[in-house]
Amino acid sequence: MPPSVYDYKDYWQNVGPGKKPELRTVDQSIQLGDGGTGLTLEINSFANIKNNLGLYANAFYLSNPRQNNGVRTYRELVSPALANEAISSVPDQFMARLGANYALNKLVVSAGGRIEGIPIHDVIGGSGDFRRPGYVISVEPSLTYQLSKINIYASVPAAVYRKRTQSVTDRARSTATTFVNGDAAFADYSVNLGISFRL
């Protein structure tokens, strides 16, 4: 099921008549969801090299057939040239990780790399409307504490390379003389915490 909130609104300052606040949908980057229902392909792989040393690899691709969610971006008010970005896209997403684990009794130390992002074109459905395609390559240290049937883990992927690629709408606005590549913001790092239970 799609997330129930993907058109959250808040007051934008200095944009209404007489520069008064105006209630509008917030930016796509901080919406709670995108309103799409996707299909996920995921692959996980593990290999032990020695008793306490192993390798891991996993990847997933989320395909969202829905082209847009009907949520207005208000970008066309910034410039008429952004009229093709007036509605939010529902993009595909991907991530891949590769690294090694070293077990120290109940504590597992891991180090690896990961790439994650949003593609320019969806595998299924349209790819128009407003999206910020691109990818981030990160180094990812992590710790896992193992109990009898519970694992508690934390990882902190830190970005080492960021690339904002041209979207379909960027390419439509680009000409032979003017290259258009839209805005984007990438986090320097993220903190991921989790717990898993074995039944």
Side-chain angles (χ1 to χ4, degrees):
M1 295 295 295
S4 58
V5 180
Y6 53 91
D7 58 353
Y8 187 82
K9 294 180 176 66
D10 199 357
Y11 284 95
W12 291 36
Q13 303 300 315
N14 304 316
V15 296
K19 295 204 171 184
K20 290 183 179 178
E22 187 170 276
L23 189 64
R24 296 182 179 183
T25 47
V26 300
D27 189 80
Q28 183 185 60
S29 62
I30 57 172
Q31 287 289 352
L32 301 175
D34 60 16
T37 299
L39 308 168
T40 301
L41 174 65
E42 186 169 352
I43 299 170
N44 293 292
S45 180
F46 305 91
N48 283 331
I49 298 174
K50 294 182 179 180
N51 288 338
N52 57 352
L53 181 63
L55 301 177
Y56 68 86
N58 54 52
F60 83 85
Y61 191 93
L62 173 64
S63 177
N64 259 314
R66 188 176 183 183
Q67 176 169 323
N68 71 60
N69 56 20
V71 175
R72 189 174 171 193
T73 65
Y74 298 91
R75 294 175 69 81
E76 77 282 4
L77 299 181
V78 175
S79 167
L82 298 174
N84 62 354
E85 295 185 346
I87 303 297
S88 292
S89 177
V90 181
D92 290 1
Q93 299 175 41
F94 64 87
M95 184 183 73
R97 300 168 67 234
L98 178 68
N101 298 321
Y102 189 80
L104 300 165
N105 215 347
K106 292 184 178 184
L107 185 67
V108 179
V109 180
S110 304
R114 71 191 263 164
I115 181 171
E116 57 194 314
I118 293 174
I120 299 166
H121 297 282
D122 290 350
V123 172
I124 304 169
S127 305
D129 302 298
F130 177 62
R131 71 171 64 189
R132 293 181 176 104
Y135 59 91
V136 179
I137 298 174
S138 304
V139 294
E140 184 180 26
S142 61
L143 294 172
T144 303
Y145 187 72
Q146 299 177 323
L147 300 171
S148 58
K149 291 188 175 181
I150 300 174
N151 285 347
I152 302 169
Y153 62 88
S155 70
V156 184
V160 293
Y161 182 78
R162 307 164 182 89
K163 172 95 174 156
R164 197 327 190 149
T165 50
Q166 255 194 324
S167 66
V168 170
T169 54
D170 290 336
R171 290 176 179 179
R173 294 197 317 273
S174 292
T175 65
T177 56
T178 305
F179 176 83
V180 175
N181 197 9
D183 64 322
F186 298 98
D188 291 333
Y189 64 90
S190 62
V191 177
N192 303 306
L193 303 172
I195 185 167
S196 63
F197 301 90
R198 287 195 300 276
L199 302 176

